[in-house]
Amino acid sequence: MASKELKRRSASGVKMAAEIGNGPELRKSDLQSSPHECHNGETTSGKSNELVAPVGHDLEVPHPSVDSPAGSGVINGSNPRSRYDRKMSSPMMPAFMVSAPGKVIVFGEHAVVYGKAAMAAAISLRSYLLVTTLSKSRRTITLRFPDISLDHTWDIDSLPWASFSDPSKKKYYYDLVTSLEPGLVEAMQPHLSTISPKSPEDVRKIHKAAASAFLYLFLSLGSQSCPACIYTLRSTLPIGAGLGSSASISVCLSAALLLQIRTLAGPHPDQPQDEAELQIERINRWAFVGEMCIHGNPSGVDNTVSTGGKAVIFKRENYSKPPKVTPLRNFPELPLLLVNSRQPRSTATEVAKVGALKEAHPTVTDSMLDSIGKITESAHELIASPHYDQDDPASIQKLGDLINMNHGLLVSLGVSHPKLERIRELVDDTDIGWTKLTGAGGGGCAITLLKPSTPSISLKDLESKLDAEGFERFETTLGGDGVGVLWPAVLRNGSDEEGGEEIDQEKFLRADGREGVEKLVGVGVLEKREGWKFWR
């Protein structure tokens, strides 16, 4: 992106800040009174001058103070007080939240491994991250993830800033990072080794993976002068079920840290689409870094869907080159029943099954994989057609037929499971929609595209049967919004609190399970809760 274009966008963000933030319009001179270090250590006369002002003010926030990441001495790595700082009266940055969805593979499982197209879409089950800034006297950061019993605190000044500031290794917010720097990964290890020492090793492995994603992003994007904060994660996504929970978390962390260092504009209802897409791309790049910390060699599709929402067509014909990802911005929101079989599965095992079948029966297996690829293409053409109507039974029937065919081929490839077939049998008995496995198979989840005007009594009958057999079910929506922001963390939840209900650490941690989190802060399935904003 050309420097002039970024300057134009930044200036636009400043103008919107004055219009929305109920404060005086900010001038560039207020923000550039003298060259000073940015969060990444470069001066405003250097490369980071592409963004001439802190952006992201479109979020209806109080003006930041010197104790906030937008104030001097926090992002900048130095402590000059500009005229902009002296005008501020808020003691610290307000608590804020970010949220990002999980995903399902709608079409194309396993065929995508062999260069065919796959379709993935966002679901309305989401992760939520609450960021709370502590007082200036505190020098710690805390990562809390109660859903997996993770709670760890680091001393900011003890972290390996020297390694992450090394000019030969340092990455900046605008960089494209395609691999982890081994020296930086090694530098983090002493700070990961003390996590959950009394937990079983399998639990520690999960905790350390989540913490490594957080620390790598925090150290890459922040500075030693960052404020003390608590980062609290809650998720309505089942962990390890192939629904992109780790990508959802990585997107939340990426967006929150980029917001704290003021390198994002918006989201705002009037934001130009090209500007919104730039913010989505920036969040997605760093979310992919988080995914690399967790998975090593991720495909990139999960974080892409979680960041942008809606759906994508994903194709990787050459593993030495990046995959081709085509966003489907007009993907319709469709009612979906998601059922977790609770059967553990291994992606590597299921992929190996198909590989062995292909080796034993190459012609037949190739034909099935080609057919799955054509099903994905047909679904794309159907949904993209101007004649497609999500409320038209005929249109939904065509989509449902493709779901049935895709599942049948996956069964023939040997990647289903008796529990998945039982879920499908129960759905077929009630005749409320079309069901297929999603993801690698061998367990995990099944998705059901619900027929229009499904009788509630039929759905309740099915849910009772699923519950009785020990399955976990979620009524959700396919093709919803991507990453969203609630700034400040205040919602109108029908409470008596003046101006809305403030979401603090205590309330967030006290929310009981998935339903409690959704009730407190959920973006909403059928309605869009006031306060949350999205890059679209």
Side-chain angles (χ1 to χ4, degrees):
M1 183 63 63
S3 177
K4 289 183 179 179
E5 176 64 10
L6 282 169
K7 286 182 179 181
R8 179 190 69 77
R9 294 180 178 185
S10 298
S12 172
V14 172
K15 183 178 179 182
M16 284 189 281
E19 293 171 350
I20 299 167
N22 298 320
E25 181 166 341
L26 304 179
R27 299 182 300 275
K28 291 183 185 178
S29 60
D30 290 330
L31 302 159
Q32 294 179 302
S33 55
S34 63
H36 56 270
E37 284 191 332
C38 298
H39 70 280
N40 53 23
E42 289 199 348
T43 65
T44 51
S45 60
K47 200 168 186 177
S48 64
N49 199 36
E50 287 177 299
L51 288 171
V52 298
V55 292
H57 294 278
D58 317 47
L59 294 162
E60 301 185 15
V61 301
H63 289 312
S65 72
V66 294
D67 192 31
S68 78
S72 64
V74 175
I75 323 176
N76 328 29
S78 60
N79 198 27
R81 289 176 176 257
S82 67
R83 288 182 291 124
Y84 173 62
D85 294 327
R86 288 194 296 271
K87 294 177 184 178
M88 303 306 108
S89 58
S90 177
M92 63 183 67
M93 174 177 279
F96 70 94
M97 297 190 74
V98 292
S99 175
K103 72 89 182 63
V104 293
I105 303 296
V106 188
F107 296 103
E109 294 93 335
H110 288 284
V112 71
V113 177
Y114 297 94
K116 314 301 179 185
M119 181 186 293
I123 55 176
S124 54
L125 300 177
R126 306 175 69 92
S127 295
Y128 297 87
L129 174 63
L130 174 64
V131 181
T132 305
T133 304
L134 303 177
S135 66
K136 293 176 69 174
S137 62
R138 302 284 293 275
R139 296 299 299 149
T140 59
I141 51 167
T142 297
L143 178 63
R144 289 177 175 168
F145 196 172
D147 301 321
I148 61 171
S149 302
L150 170 61
D151 190 332
H152 193 81
T153 298
W154 293 270
D155 177 72
I156 294 175
D157 297 320
S158 298
L159 292 172
W161 294 108
S163 297
F164 278 79
S165 301
D166 185 331
S168 66
K169 297 181 176 66
K170 178 66 182 175
K171 299 296 182 182
Y172 301 94
Y173 69 87
Y174 46 76
D175 283 329
L176 174 63
V177 181
T178 57
S179 63
L180 301 179
E181 172 58 52
L184 300 184
V185 173
E186 183 179 354
M188 291 196 307
Q189 296 313 304
H191 306 278
L192 298 173
S193 63
T194 56
I195 291 173
S196 308
K198 297 182 180 179
S199 298
E201 194 55 38
D202 58 335
V203 173
R204 287 197 75 202
K205 183 178 180 181
I206 295 171
H207 288 186
K208 289 169 75 172
S212 67
F214 168 71
L215 270 190
Y216 200 99
L217 267 60
F218 180 79
L219 290 163
S220 296
L221 294 171
S223 75
Q224 191 170 349
S225 55
C226 284
C229 285
I230 299 174
Y231 298 84
T232 304
L233 277 159
R234 300 294 305 271
S235 185
T236 63
L237 286 157
I239 307 297
L243 301 178
S245 58
S246 66
S248 174
I249 290 165
S250 293
V251 171
C252 286
L253 293 173
S254 170
L257 292 168
L258 288 167
L259 283 166
Q260 284 188 296
I261 63 172
R262 298 295 198 188
T263 54
L264 293 177
H268 186 268
D270 299 323
Q271 191 168 27
Q273 186 174 354
D274 62 338
E275 185 179 87
E277 288 176 355
L278 176 66
Q279 317 312 309
I280 290 172
E281 172 61 20
R282 184 164 292 162
I283 295 168
N284 191 34
R285 285 184 176 189
W286 282 99
F288 181 69
V289 176
E291 280 283 85
M292 285 193 289
C293 292
I294 296 171
H295 295 296
N297 185 31
S299 68
V301 65
D302 287 14
N303 51 277
T304 299
V305 174
S306 186
T307 307
K310 291 297 182 180
V312 301
I313 293 291
F314 179 84
K315 192 171 185 178
R316 193 168 199 167
E317 297 176 300
N318 186 341
Y319 274 78
S320 66
K321 297 180 180 179
K324 181 180 180 182
V325 180
T326 306
L328 306 179
R329 297 297 184 206
N330 295 321
F331 191 91
E333 290 193 25
L334 299 168
L336 193 75
L337 178 65
L338 175 70
V339 182
N340 184 4
S341 71
R342 299 183 188 268
Q343 175 64 36
R345 87 285 182 276
S346 164
T347 298
T349 298
E350 301 308 313
V351 170
K353 280 185 187 178
V354 177
L357 192 67
K358 189 176 187 298
E359 185 175 349
H361 306 282
T363 302
V364 177
T365 305
D366 284 343
S367 177
M368 288 191 285
L369 295 171
D370 287 342
S371 295
I372 292 175
K374 286 182 171 58
I375 286 172
T376 303
E377 293 170 4
S378 296
H380 184 196
E381 291 172 3
L382 174 65
I383 292 171
S385 168
H387 304 295
Y388 179 80
D389 181 357
Q390 67 187 76
D391 297 319
D392 175 30
S395 293
I396 297 295
Q397 179 68 50
K398 289 181 180 179
L399 197 60
D401 291 341
L402 293 172
I403 285 175
N404 281 343
M405 287 187 280
N406 196 162
H407 181 78
L409 288 165
L410 291 169
V411 171
S412 298
L413 289 173
V415 296
S416 189
H417 186 276
K419 288 187 177 180
L420 292 171
E421 293 309 305
R422 179 57 178 160
I423 293 168
R424 194 166 187 269
E425 181 183 357
L426 290 172
V427 174
D428 287 349
D429 283 347
T430 55
D431 193 31
I432 65 168
W434 304 268
T435 301
K436 67 178 285 293
L437 67 85
T438 181
C445 294
I447 56 173
T448 297
L449 176 64
L450 297 173
K451 292 182 177 180
S453 304
T454 295
S456 59
I457 189 171
S458 297
L459 187 57
K460 287 182 179 179
D461 179 54
L462 172 62
E463 291 174 344
S464 296
K465 292 177 180 178
L466 292 168
D467 292 346
E469 299 198 20
F471 298 118
E472 185 179 26
R473 56 179 173 78
F474 307 87
E475 286 185 58
T476 182
T477 300
L478 193 68
D481 285 311
V483 61
V485 182
L486 178 67
W487 189 317
V490 176
L491 283 169
R492 291 175 177 85
N493 284 339
S495 71
D496 296 329
E497 295 184 36
E498 184 178 353
E501 181 178 6
E502 181 179 349
I503 311 302
D504 58 23
Q505 289 285 328
E506 183 180 357
K507 289 178 182 176
F508 195 43
L509 289 169
R510 200 170 57 226
D512 187 13
R514 175 173 57 91
E515 291 183 358
V517 172
E518 285 284 5
K519 183 178 180 181
L520 181 66
V521 298
V523 168
V525 177
L526 299 178
E527 82 289 342
K528 299 304 179 187
R529 179 174 273 172
E530 186 177 354
W532 283 103
K533 295 180 180 178
F534 304 89
W535 285 279
R536 294 182 173 128

